[in-house]
Amino acid sequence: METFTEFKPLVKNPYFHQQREKALSQLDINTIDVPIKKIIKSFSNLPYCFTLQSCYGHFLYDNQKNPNNVEPLPNLDSISKVKYRIAYIALCIRNNQHGRMLLQELKKIPSIDPDYVQFGCADWFWQNQVNSYALQVEPERYKRKDKITVNFQEALHIEKVRNEFFRRLEKIFDK
């Protein structure tokens, strides 16, 4: 995320309800990447949170040029370079008890692999929507990029981390 910044504390937002209603009315679940539709729907059901944007994270390589590819990476030694489009979820969280509890749960997600998962803010989201946060799967050295090129072995690692990232997000709703 090109405007990724460090974590900012929650602030007062008297317009949260109106902003949430507007965001939910504009949400077209059919535009969400299929593997994460359930997660986005689950966040939409929380009265103290709403999603701003999301992406499953896409891998492009030799014969795979579909920018919305959600297929697993193949087990091929012949692939040398992989273009990766960042996996992330951007959320707005209400500054109340439930919102603070959700924030604490989200802060734990980078423990999957701190070199590949970041939790913080994105300046352009925050400027439009206070209390917006971004969780992303991206090598730390590229944390301010939306797309990168990595070698195949690192792409496999990113894929593994991305898959666990979304599993952990799903587990939040199992509690």
Side-chain angles (χ1 to χ4, degrees), residues 4 22 29 44 48 56 70 72 83 98 121 128 132 136 153 169-170 172:
F4 185 82
K22 181 180 179 185
I29 204 71
S44 296
Y48 47 89
Y56 181 60
V70 295
K83 290 181 183 176
H98 292 293
C121 297
N128 295 317
S132 59
Q136 64 182 27
Q153 290 306 311
L169 284 173
E170 284 179 349
I172 287 174

Side-chain angles (χ1 to χ4, degrees), residues 128-146:
N128 295 317
Q129 182 65 65
V130 298
N131 299 336
S132 59
Y133 297 91
L135 266 163
Q136 64 182 27
V137 177
E138 185 83 307
E140 175 71 23
R141 68 189 185 278
Y142 297 122
K143 71 181 179 183
R144 289 182 175 81
K145 300 286 185 188
D146 290 341

Side-chain angles (χ1 to χ4, degrees), residues 60-129:
L60 308 174
Y61 48 90
D62 298 335
N63 294 325
Q64 178 50 269
K65 305 293 184 198
N66 177 359
N68 297 311
N69 172 41
V70 295
E71 297 298 318
L73 285 165
N75 192 6
L76 299 174
D77 292 333
S78 61
I79 300 172
S80 60
K81 297 289 180 192
V82 177
K83 290 181 183 176
Y84 169 64
R85 292 179 43 220
I86 187 173
Y88 73 96
I89 185 164
L91 304 162
C92 181
I93 300 174
R94 185 170 181 206
N95 187 1
N96 67 7
Q97 180 182 357
H98 292 293
R100 288 187 292 277
M101 288 172 33
L102 175 62
L103 204 55
Q104 292 309 309
E105 288 299 312
L106 296 174
K107 283 182 178 180
K108 297 174 186 176
I109 302 282
S111 69
I112 295 167
D113 187 333
D115 292 331
Y116 285 84
V117 181
Q118 299 86 37
F119 180 62
C121 297
D123 284 337
W124 74 278
F125 280 129
W126 195 276
Q127 289 167 0
N128 295 317
Q129 182 65 65

Side-chain angles (χ1 to χ4, degrees), residues 155-170:
L156 287 172
H157 182 74
I158 292 169
E159 179 182 51
K160 178 181 170 187
V161 171
R162 180 206 58 195
N163 294 345
E164 180 59 24
F165 170 84
F166 286 118
R167 272 193 290 279
R168 290 267 187 100
L169 284 173
E170 284 179 349

Side-chain angles (χ1 to χ4, degrees), residues 20-75:
R20 181 176 182 277
E21 290 304 314
K22 181 180 179 185
L24 291 177
S25 72
Q26 295 173 346
L27 176 64
D28 180 357
I29 204 71
N30 295 317
T31 64
I32 305 299
D33 292 325
V34 171
I36 61 173
K37 279 186 182 187
K38 179 181 173 189
I39 293 169
I40 302 306
K41 285 181 185 178
S42 296
F43 275 117
S44 296
N45 290 329
L46 299 177
Y48 47 89
C49 173
F50 61 92
T51 57
L52 297 166
Q53 283 185 0
S54 62
C55 184
Y56 181 60
H58 307 284
F59 296 98
L60 308 174
Y61 48 90
D62 298 335
N63 294 325
Q64 178 50 269
K65 305 293 184 198
N66 177 359
N68 297 311
N69 172 41
V70 295
E71 297 298 318
L73 285 165
N75 192 6

